[in-house]
């Protein structure tokens, strides 16, 4: 009965707002301003509810979860100031955030990639992690005033377009009030730190992550459900256990040729091919080569394609690398040289939030 009343209430709000809509205002969105909604409820627009990006990760306010009836997301919020913990819970699930230690874990001690951030006494949570853990979804919708970030559960009623259309008048009023508040601040009060701009993929855009074979042991635990491409020398391919674990995980294996001439390169192809087939029954199709010799004819004859990079991870920060990826509007390959794997978890999080397809390199790549 309670859920039915909420559904009727949501439809009532839709019809009421629809009846009083005026022409949608044509104005430019202010930088760093975001609307937030929980299912069919629009949150107030202020510093305590404003989402932001940090190191490529989108954070949303605990205000979404503080009122159990707000949007009926089914996730509640609690905080223990004495323990330095913030917790989200639903039924038998709970996710705990150590604010000082910057870690997240559940009640049985499983650790998760992500942490909460406190700003102005309000806790903000990494949205992608929270949605995955509690089975929620979220969408990003452009509006005439500011983008809308909408967190949704199975009880959502309105589509994103219907919600934006119905709530235009309310969004306009709150946007105008917020901008008045911002412009009336004293010069020495800059307000909250502005969010990083989102990194969004072009339609169907793929990112290929390339790792040296020597970094496999460190990279594999971070990759989890995504696949990458590993570059192994003929000598490294003698490790049958490594080849089998990579192939079983859906990863691609490329032979890293080190010879300086075409003749030397040809001498490395056959041992690599034999090792890969012997260990995992997979044909050799990919070759990584950065020498000056022209291997075009040799690779074509052997049925192989070259693997090439567009970006180097180098010692770049996660946000810096995400910005670099965001400048490419076509498929892009990122080579993780120098063993710079510290930024990998945050980069993966940012790529997933940006709707990139993280893929292993294939023969048709």
């Amino acid at each position: 009965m309670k859920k039915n009343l909420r559904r009727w209430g949501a439809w009532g709000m839709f019809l009421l707002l629809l009846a009083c809509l005026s022409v949608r205002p044509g104005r430019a969105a202010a930088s760093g301003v975001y609307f937030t909604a929980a299912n069919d409820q629009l949150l107030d627009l202020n510093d305590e509810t404003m989402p932001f990006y940090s190191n490529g990760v989108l954070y949303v306010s605990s205000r979404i979860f503080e009122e159990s009836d707000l949007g009926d997301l089914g996730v509640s919020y609690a905080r223990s100031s004495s323990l330095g913990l913030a917790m989200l819970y639903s039924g038998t699930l709970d996710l705990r955030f150590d604010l000082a230690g910057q870690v997240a874990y559940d009640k049985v001690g499983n650790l998760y990639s992500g942490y909460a951030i406190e700003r102005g006494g309000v806790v903000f949570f990494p949205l992608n992690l929270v949605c995955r853990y509690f089975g929620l979804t979220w969408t990003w919708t452009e509006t005439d005033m500011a983008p809308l970030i909408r967190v949704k559960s199975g009880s959502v009623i309105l589509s994103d377009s219907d919600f934006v259309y119905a709530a235009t008048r309310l969004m306009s009023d709150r946007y105008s009030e917020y901008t008045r508040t911002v412009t009336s601040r004293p010069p020495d009060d800059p307000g909250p730190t502005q969010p990083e701009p989102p990194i969004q993929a072009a339609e169907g855009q793929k990112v290929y992550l390339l790792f040296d074979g020597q970094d496999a042991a460190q990279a594999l635990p971070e990759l989890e459900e995504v696949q990458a491409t590993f570059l192994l020398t003929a000598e490294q391919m003698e490790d049958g256990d490594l080849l089998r674990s990579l192939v079983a995980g859906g990863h691609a294996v490329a032979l890293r040729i080190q010879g300086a001439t075409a003749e030397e390169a040809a001498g490395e192809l056959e041992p690599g091919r034999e090792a890969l087939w012997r260990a995992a029954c997979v044909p050799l199709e990919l070759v990584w080569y950065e020498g000056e010799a022209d291997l075009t004819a040799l690779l074509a004859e052997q049925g192989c394609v070259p693997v090439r990079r567009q970006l180097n991870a180098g010692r770049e920060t996660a946000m810096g690398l995400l910005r670099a990826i965001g400048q490419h509007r076509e498929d892009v390959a990122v080579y993780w040289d120098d063993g710079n794997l510290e930024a990998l978890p945050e980069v993966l999080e940012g790529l997933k939030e940006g709707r990139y397809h993280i893929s292993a390199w294939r023969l048709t790549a």
Side-chain angles (χ1 to χ4, degrees), residues 169-186:
R169 174 65 65 81
L170 184 60
M171 295 168 73
S172 178
D173 291 344
R174 291 184 178 177
Y175 182 85
S176 298
E177 178 61 29
Y178 179 78
T179 53
R180 280 196 300 270
T181 302
V182 171
T183 56
S184 64
R185 283 177 175 151

mmCIF file with all atom_site columns, all heavy atoms in Angstrom, residues 169-186:
data_model
loop_
_atom_site.group_PDB
_atom_site.id
_atom_site.type_symbol
_atom_site.label_atom_id
_atom_site.label_alt_id
_atom_site.label_comp_id
_atom_site.label_asym_id
_atom_site.label_entity_id
_atom_site.label_seq_id
_atom_site.pdbx_PDB_ins_code
_atom_site.Cartn_x
_atom_site.Cartn_y
_atom_site.Cartn_z
_atom_site.occupancy
_atom_site.B_iso_or_equiv
_atom_site.pdbx_formal_charge
_atom_site.auth_seq_id
_atom_site.auth_comp_id
_atom_site.auth_asym_id
_atom_site.auth_atom_id
_atom_site.pdbx_PDB_model_num
ATOM 1   N N   . ARG A 1 169 ? 10.081 23.398 -14.198 1.00 0.00 ? 169 ARG A N   1
ATOM 2   C CA  . ARG A 1 169 ? 9.781  24.591 -13.411 1.00 0.00 ? 169 ARG A CA  1
ATOM 3   C C   . ARG A 1 169 ? 10.487 24.548 -12.055 1.00 0.00 ? 169 ARG A C   1
ATOM 4   O O   . ARG A 1 169 ? 11.088 25.536 -11.620 1.00 0.00 ? 169 ARG A O   1
ATOM 5   C CB  . ARG A 1 169 ? 8.260  24.725 -13.215 1.00 0.00 ? 169 ARG A CB  1
ATOM 6   C CG  . ARG A 1 169 ? 7.832  25.866 -12.275 1.00 0.00 ? 169 ARG A CG  1
ATOM 7   C CD  . ARG A 1 169 ? 8.180  27.231 -12.833 1.00 0.00 ? 169 ARG A CD  1
ATOM 8   N NE  . ARG A 1 169 ? 7.424  27.492 -14.056 1.00 0.00 ? 169 ARG A NE  1
ATOM 9   C CZ  . ARG A 1 169 ? 6.173  27.916 -14.078 1.00 0.00 ? 169 ARG A CZ  1
ATOM 10  N NH1 . ARG A 1 169 ? 5.512  28.115 -12.954 1.00 0.00 ? 169 ARG A NH1 1
ATOM 11  N NH2 . ARG A 1 169 ? 5.584  28.156 -15.229 1.00 0.00 ? 169 ARG A NH2 1
ATOM 12  N N   . LEU A 1 170 ? 10.432 23.410 -11.387 1.00 0.00 ? 170 LEU A N   1
ATOM 13  C CA  . LEU A 1 170 ? 11.090 23.274 -10.086 1.00 0.00 ? 170 LEU A CA  1
ATOM 14  C C   . LEU A 1 170 ? 12.605 23.403 -10.221 1.00 0.00 ? 170 LEU A C   1
ATOM 15  O O   . LEU A 1 170 ? 13.261 24.057 -9.406  1.00 0.00 ? 170 LEU A O   1
ATOM 16  C CB  . LEU A 1 170 ? 10.724 21.916 -9.471  1.00 0.00 ? 170 LEU A CB  1
ATOM 17  C CG  . LEU A 1 170 ? 11.229 21.626 -8.062  1.00 0.00 ? 170 LEU A CG  1
ATOM 18  C CD1 . LEU A 1 170 ? 10.691 22.669 -7.085  1.00 0.00 ? 170 LEU A CD1 1
ATOM 19  C CD2 . LEU A 1 170 ? 10.810 20.230 -7.618  1.00 0.00 ? 170 LEU A CD2 1
ATOM 20  N N   . MET A 1 171 ? 13.166 22.790 -11.266 1.00 0.00 ? 171 MET A N   1
ATOM 21  C CA  . MET A 1 171 ? 14.603 22.900 -11.492 1.00 0.00 ? 171 MET A CA  1
ATOM 22  C C   . MET A 1 171 ? 14.999 24.347 -11.773 1.00 0.00 ? 171 MET A C   1
ATOM 23  O O   . MET A 1 171 ? 16.032 24.829 -11.287 1.00 0.00 ? 171 MET A O   1
ATOM 24  C CB  . MET A 1 171 ? 15.017 21.980 -12.646 1.00 0.00 ? 171 MET A CB  1
ATOM 25  C CG  . MET A 1 171 ? 14.835 20.502 -12.353 1.00 0.00 ? 171 MET A CG  1
ATOM 26  S SD  . MET A 1 171 ? 15.003 19.444 -13.824 1.00 0.00 ? 171 MET A SD  1
ATOM 27  C CE  . MET A 1 171 ? 16.760 19.536 -14.090 1.00 0.00 ? 171 MET A CE  1
ATOM 28  N N   . SER A 1 172 ? 14.166 25.056 -12.542 1.00 0.00 ? 172 SER A N   1
ATOM 29  C CA  . SER A 1 172 ? 14.463 26.451 -12.861 1.00 0.00 ? 172 SER A CA  1
ATOM 30  C C   . SER A 1 172 ? 14.469 27.315 -11.604 1.00 0.00 ? 172 SER A C   1
ATOM 31  O O   . SER A 1 172 ? 15.362 28.154 -11.409 1.00 0.00 ? 172 SER A O   1
ATOM 32  C CB  . SER A 1 172 ? 13.438 26.977 -13.865 1.00 0.00 ? 172 SER A CB  1
ATOM 33  O OG  . SER A 1 172 ? 13.680 28.332 -14.152 1.00 0.00 ? 172 SER A OG  1
ATOM 34  N N   . ASP A 1 173 ? 13.472 27.111 -10.735 1.00 0.00 ? 173 ASP A N   1
ATOM 35  C CA  . ASP A 1 173 ? 13.405 27.893 -9.496  1.00 0.00 ? 173 ASP A CA  1
ATOM 36  C C   . ASP A 1 173 ? 14.624 27.627 -8.614  1.00 0.00 ? 173 ASP A C   1
ATOM 37  O O   . ASP A 1 173 ? 15.225 28.565 -8.069  1.00 0.00 ? 173 ASP A O   1
ATOM 38  C CB  . ASP A 1 173 ? 12.132 27.552 -8.732  1.00 0.00 ? 173 ASP A CB  1
ATOM 39  C CG  . ASP A 1 173 ? 10.876 28.057 -9.440  1.00 0.00 ? 173 ASP A CG  1
ATOM 40  O OD1 . ASP A 1 173 ? 11.011 28.909 -10.336 1.00 0.00 ? 173 ASP A OD1 1
ATOM 41  O OD2 . ASP A 1 173 ? 9.774  27.583 -9.095  1.00 0.00 ? 173 ASP A OD2 1
ATOM 42  N N   . ARG A 1 174 ? 14.980 26.363 -8.475  1.00 0.00 ? 174 ARG A N   1
ATOM 43  C CA  . ARG A 1 174 ? 16.111 26.025 -7.602  1.00 0.00 ? 174 ARG A CA  1
ATOM 44  C C   . ARG A 1 174 ? 17.433 26.486 -8.208  1.00 0.00 ? 174 ARG A C   1
ATOM 45  O O   . ARG A 1 174 ? 18.351 26.893 -7.488  1.00 0.00 ? 174 ARG A O   1
ATOM 46  C CB  . ARG A 1 174 ? 16.116 24.517 -7.330  1.00 0.00 ? 174 ARG A CB  1
ATOM 47  C CG  . ARG A 1 174 ? 14.931 24.104 -6.463  1.00 0.00 ? 174 ARG A CG  1
ATOM 48  C CD  . ARG A 1 174 ? 14.950 22.635 -6.096  1.00 0.00 ? 174 ARG A CD  1
ATOM 49  N NE  . ARG A 1 174 ? 13.811 22.322 -5.224  1.00 0.00 ? 174 ARG A NE  1
ATOM 50  C CZ  . ARG A 1 174 ? 13.527 21.104 -4.780  1.00 0.00 ? 174 ARG A CZ  1
ATOM 51  N NH1 . ARG A 1 174 ? 14.294 20.076 -5.123  1.00 0.00 ? 174 ARG A NH1 1
ATOM 52  N NH2 . ARG A 1 174 ? 12.489 20.916 -3.990  1.00 0.00 ? 174 ARG A NH2 1
ATOM 53  N N   . TYR A 1 175 ? 17.526 26.426 -9.517  1.00 0.00 ? 175 TYR A N   1
ATOM 54  C CA  . TYR A 1 175 ? 18.746 26.887 -10.174 1.00 0.00 ? 175 TYR A CA  1
ATOM 55  C C   . TYR A 1 175 ? 18.923 28.399 -9.988  1.00 0.00 ? 175 TYR A C   1
ATOM 56  O O   . TYR A 1 175 ? 20.017 28.874 -9.681  1.00 0.00 ? 175 TYR A O   1
ATOM 57  C CB  . TYR A 1 175 ? 18.684 26.531 -11.660 1.00 0.00 ? 175 TYR A CB  1
ATOM 58  C CG  . TYR A 1 175 ? 19.916 26.909 -12.447 1.00 0.00 ? 175 TYR A CG  1
ATOM 59  C CD1 . TYR A 1 175 ? 21.015 26.059 -12.493 1.00 0.00 ? 175 TYR A CD1 1
ATOM 60  C CD2 . TYR A 1 175 ? 19.990 28.125 -13.134 1.00 0.00 ? 175 TYR A CD2 1
ATOM 61  C CE1 . TYR A 1 175 ? 22.149 26.410 -13.212 1.00 0.00 ? 175 TYR A CE1 1
ATOM 62  C CE2 . TYR A 1 175 ? 21.114 28.478 -13.852 1.00 0.00 ? 175 TYR A CE2 1
ATOM 63  C CZ  . TYR A 1 175 ? 22.189 27.612 -13.892 1.00 0.00 ? 175 TYR A CZ  1
ATOM 64  O OH  . TYR A 1 175 ? 23.311 27.950 -14.588 1.00 0.00 ? 175 TYR A OH  1
ATOM 65  N N   . SER A 1 176 ? 17.835 29.130 -10.166 1.00 0.00 ? 176 SER A N   1
ATOM 66  C CA  . SER A 1 176 ? 17.904 30.587 -9.991  1.00 0.00 ? 176 SER A CA  1
ATOM 67  C C   . SER A 1 176 ? 18.284 30.951 -8.561  1.00 0.00 ? 176 SER A C   1
ATOM 68  O O   . SER A 1 176 ? 19.102 31.846 -8.325  1.00 0.00 ? 176 SER A O   1
ATOM 69  C CB  . SER A 1 176 ? 16.552 31.221 -10.356 1.00 0.00 ? 176 SER A CB  1
ATOM 70  O OG  . SER A 1 176 ? 16.234 30.995 -11.708 1.00 0.00 ? 176 SER A OG  1
ATOM 71  N N   . GLU A 1 177 ? 17.691 30.266 -7.595  1.00 0.00 ? 177 GLU A N   1
ATOM 72  C CA  . GLU A 1 177 ? 18.003 30.533 -6.194  1.00 0.00 ? 177 GLU A CA  1
ATOM 73  C C   . GLU A 1 177 ? 19.459 30.200 -5.886  1.00 0.00 ? 177 GLU A C   1
ATOM 74  O O   . GLU A 1 177 ? 20.149 30.945 -5.167  1.00 0.00 ? 177 GLU A O   1
ATOM 75  C CB  . GLU A 1 177 ? 17.063 29.725 -5.290  1.00 0.00 ? 177 GLU A CB  1
ATOM 76  C CG  . GLU A 1 177 ? 17.329 29.888 -3.800  1.00 0.00 ? 177 GLU A CG  1
ATOM 77  C CD  . GLU A 1 177 ? 17.161 31.321 -3.319  1.00 0.00 ? 177 GLU A CD  1
ATOM 78  O OE1 . GLU A 1 177 ? 16.353 32.060 -3.934  1.00 0.00 ? 177 GLU A OE1 1
ATOM 79  O OE2 . GLU A 1 177 ? 17.845 31.708 -2.353  1.00 0.00 ? 177 GLU A OE2 1
ATOM 80  N N   . TYR A 1 178 ? 19.942 29.098 -6.430  1.00 0.00 ? 178 TYR A N   1
ATOM 81  C CA  . TYR A 1 178 ? 21.327 28.699 -6.166  1.00 0.00 ? 178 TYR A CA  1
ATOM 82  C C   . TYR A 1 178 ? 22.304 29.715 -6.762  1.00 0.00 ? 178 TYR A C   1
ATOM 83  O O   . TYR A 1 178 ? 23.276 30.106 -6.110  1.00 0.00 ? 178 TYR A O   1
ATOM 84  C CB  . TYR A 1 178 ? 21.601 27.316 -6.744  1.00 0.00 ? 178 TYR A CB  1
ATOM 85  C CG  . TYR A 1 178 ? 23.030 26.858 -6.533  1.00 0.00 ? 178 TYR A CG  1
ATOM 86  C CD1 . TYR A 1 178 ? 23.454 26.368 -5.294  1.00 0.00 ? 178 TYR A CD1 1
ATOM 87  C CD2 . TYR A 1 178 ? 23.964 26.936 -7.561  1.00 0.00 ? 178 TYR A CD2 1
ATOM 88  C CE1 . TYR A 1 178 ? 24.769 25.966 -5.095  1.00 0.00 ? 178 TYR A CE1 1
ATOM 89  C CE2 . TYR A 1 178 ? 25.276 26.528 -7.371  1.00 0.00 ? 178 TYR A CE2 1
ATOM 90  C CZ  . TYR A 1 178 ? 25.676 26.050 -6.140  1.00 0.00 ? 178 TYR A CZ  1
ATOM 91  O OH  . TYR A 1 178 ? 26.972 25.662 -5.940  1.00 0.00 ? 178 TYR A OH  1
ATOM 92  N N   . THR A 1 179 ? 22.065 30.142 -7.995  1.00 0.00 ? 179 THR A N   1
ATOM 93  C CA  . THR A 1 179 ? 22.972 31.111 -8.614  1.00 0.00 ? 179 THR A CA  1
ATOM 94  C C   . THR A 1 179 ? 22.952 32.448 -7.878  1.00 0.00 ? 179 THR A C   1
ATOM 95  O O   . THR A 1 179 ? 23.973 33.119 -7.776  1.00 0.00 ? 179 THR A O   1
ATOM 96  C CB  . THR A 1 179 ? 22.613 31.314 -10.094 1.00 0.00 ? 179 THR A CB  1
ATOM 97  O OG1 . THR A 1 179 ? 21.220 31.654 -10.217 1.00 0.00 ? 179 THR A OG1 1
ATOM 98  C CG2 . THR A 1 179 ? 22.885 30.052 -10.898 1.00 0.00 ? 179 THR A CG2 1
ATOM 99  N N   . ARG A 1 180 ? 21.776 32.841 -7.353  1.00 0.00 ? 180 ARG A N   1
ATOM 100 C CA  . ARG A 1 180 ? 21.733 34.069 -6.541  1.00 0.00 ? 180 ARG A CA  1
ATOM 101 C C   . ARG A 1 180 ? 22.578 33.910 -5.284  1.00 0.00 ? 180 ARG A C   1
ATOM 102 O O   . ARG A 1 180 ? 23.276 34.828 -4.862  1.00 0.00 ? 180 ARG A O   1
ATOM 103 C CB  . ARG A 1 180 ? 20.283 34.404 -6.161  1.00 0.00 ? 180 ARG A CB  1
ATOM 104 C CG  . ARG A 1 180 ? 19.495 35.091 -7.256  1.00 0.00 ? 180 ARG A CG  1
ATOM 105 C CD  . ARG A 1 180 ? 18.230 35.735 -6.704  1.00 0.00 ? 180 ARG A CD  1
ATOM 106 N NE  . ARG A 1 180 ? 17.343 34.752 -6.090  1.00 0.00 ? 180 ARG A NE  1
ATOM 107 C CZ  . ARG A 1 180 ? 16.393 34.111 -6.744  1.00 0.00 ? 180 ARG A CZ  1
ATOM 108 N NH1 . ARG A 1 180 ? 16.226 34.321 -8.035  1.00 0.00 ? 180 ARG A NH1 1
ATOM 109 N NH2 . ARG A 1 180 ? 15.608 33.251 -6.119  1.00 0.00 ? 180 ARG A NH2 1
ATOM 110 N N   . THR A 1 181 ? 22.498 32.721 -4.663  1.00 0.00 ? 181 THR A N   1
ATOM 111 C CA  . THR A 1 181 ? 23.284 32.463 -3.450  1.00 0.00 ? 181 THR A CA  1
ATOM 112 C C   . THR A 1 181 ? 24.774 32.517 -3.742  1.00 0.00 ? 181 THR A C   1
ATOM 113 O O   . THR A 1 181 ? 25.557 33.090 -2.975  1.00 0.00 ? 181 THR A O   1
ATOM 114 C CB  . THR A 1 181 ? 22.920 31.097 -2.869  1.00 0.00 ? 181 THR A CB  1
ATOM 115 O OG1 . THR A 1 181 ? 21.522 31.053 -2.573  1.00 0.00 ? 181 THR A OG1 1
ATOM 116 C CG2 . THR A 1 181 ? 23.712 30.808 -1.604  1.00 0.00 ? 181 THR A CG2 1
ATOM 117 N N   . VAL A 1 182 ? 25.172 31.957 -4.861  1.00 0.00 ? 182 VAL A N   1
ATOM 118 C CA  . VAL A 1 182 ? 26.588 31.921 -5.212  1.00 0.00 ? 182 VAL A CA  1
ATOM 119 C C   . VAL A 1 182 ? 27.116 33.322 -5.491  1.00 0.00 ? 182 VAL A C   1
ATOM 120 O O   . VAL A 1 182 ? 28.194 33.709 -5.020  1.00 0.00 ? 182 VAL A O   1
ATOM 121 C CB  . VAL A 1 182 ? 26.813 31.010 -6.437  1.00 0.00 ? 182 VAL A CB  1
ATOM 122 C CG1 . VAL A 1 182 ? 28.250 31.135 -6.953  1.00 0.00 ? 182 VAL A CG1 1
ATOM 123 C CG2 . VAL A 1 182 ? 26.520 29.564 -6.069  1.00 0.00 ? 182 VAL A CG2 1
ATOM 124 N N   . THR A 1 183 ? 26.371 34.115 -6.244  1.00 0.00 ? 183 THR A N   1
ATOM 125 C CA  . THR A 1 183 ? 26.844 35.468 -6.581  1.00 0.00 ? 183 THR A CA  1
ATOM 126 C C   . THR A 1 183 ? 26.852 36.413 -5.398  1.00 0.00 ? 183 THR A C   1
ATOM 127 O O   . THR A 1 183 ? 27.543 37.431 -5.421  1.00 0.00 ? 183 THR A O   1
ATOM 128 C CB  . THR A 1 183 ? 25.960 36.074 -7.697  1.00 0.00 ? 183 THR A CB  1
ATOM 129 O OG1 . THR A 1 183 ? 24.582 36.049 -7.273  1.00 0.00 ? 183 THR A OG1 1
ATOM 130 C CG2 . THR A 1 183 ? 26.097 35.276 -8.986  1.00 0.00 ? 183 THR A CG2 1
ATOM 131 N N   . SER A 1 184 ? 26.085 36.085 -4.337  1.00 0.00 ? 184 SER A N   1
ATOM 132 C CA  . SER A 1 184 ? 26.042 36.961 -3.161  1.00 0.00 ? 184 SER A CA  1
ATOM 133 C C   . SER A 1 184 ? 27.096 36.586 -2.120  1.00 0.00 ? 184 SER A C   1
ATOM 134 O O   . SER A 1 184 ? 27.180 37.229 -1.079  1.00 0.00 ? 184 SER A O   1
ATOM 135 C CB  . SER A 1 184 ? 24.651 36.895 -2.510  1.00 0.00 ? 184 SER A CB  1
ATOM 136 O OG  . SER A 1 184 ? 24.386 35.583 -2.009  1.00 0.00 ? 184 SER A OG  1
ATOM 137 N N   . ARG A 1 185 ? 27.907 35.561 -2.390  1.00 0.00 ? 185 ARG A N   1
ATOM 138 C CA  . ARG A 1 185 ? 28.948 35.184 -1.428  1.00 0.00 ? 185 ARG A CA  1
ATOM 139 C C   . ARG A 1 185 ? 30.029 36.258 -1.361  1.00 0.00 ? 185 ARG A C   1
ATOM 140 O O   . ARG A 1 185 ? 30.343 36.905 -2.361  1.00 0.00 ? 185 ARG A O   1
ATOM 141 C CB  . ARG A 1 185 ? 29.598 33.856 -1.843  1.00 0.00 ? 185 ARG A CB  1
ATOM 142 C CG  . ARG A 1 185 ? 28.748 32.642 -1.521  1.00 0.00 ? 185 ARG A CG  1
ATOM 143 C CD  . ARG A 1 185 ? 29.429 31.384 -2.023  1.00 0.00 ? 185 ARG A CD  1
ATOM 144 N NE  . ARG A 1 185 ? 28.688 30.206 -1.612  1.00 0.00 ? 185 ARG A NE  1
ATOM 145 C CZ  . ARG A 1 185 ? 28.653 29.066 -2.287  1.00 0.00 ? 185 ARG A CZ  1
ATOM 146 N NH1 . ARG A 1 185 ? 29.333 28.951 -3.399  1.00 0.00 ? 185 ARG A NH1 1
ATOM 147 N NH2 . ARG A 1 185 ? 27.963 28.047 -1.845  1.00 0.00 ? 185 ARG A NH2 1
ATOM 148 N N   . PRO A 1 186 ? 30.639 36.437 -0.176  1.00 0.00 ? 186 PRO A N   1
ATOM 149 C CA  . PRO A 1 186 ? 31.749 37.382 -0.066  1.00 0.00 ? 186 PRO A CA  1
ATOM 150 C C   . PRO A 1 186 ? 32.910 36.963 -0.956  1.00 0.00 ? 186 PRO A C   1
ATOM 151 O O   . PRO A 1 186 ? 33.068 35.776 -1.256  1.00 0.00 ? 186 PRO A O   1
ATOM 152 C CB  . PRO A 1 186 ? 32.147 37.299 1.418   1.00 0.00 ? 186 PRO A CB  1
ATOM 153 C CG  . PRO A 1 186 ? 30.978 36.681 2.100   1.00 0.00 ? 186 PRO A CG  1
ATOM 154 C CD  . PRO A 1 186 ? 30.299 35.805 1.104   1.00 0.00 ? 186 PRO A CD  1
#
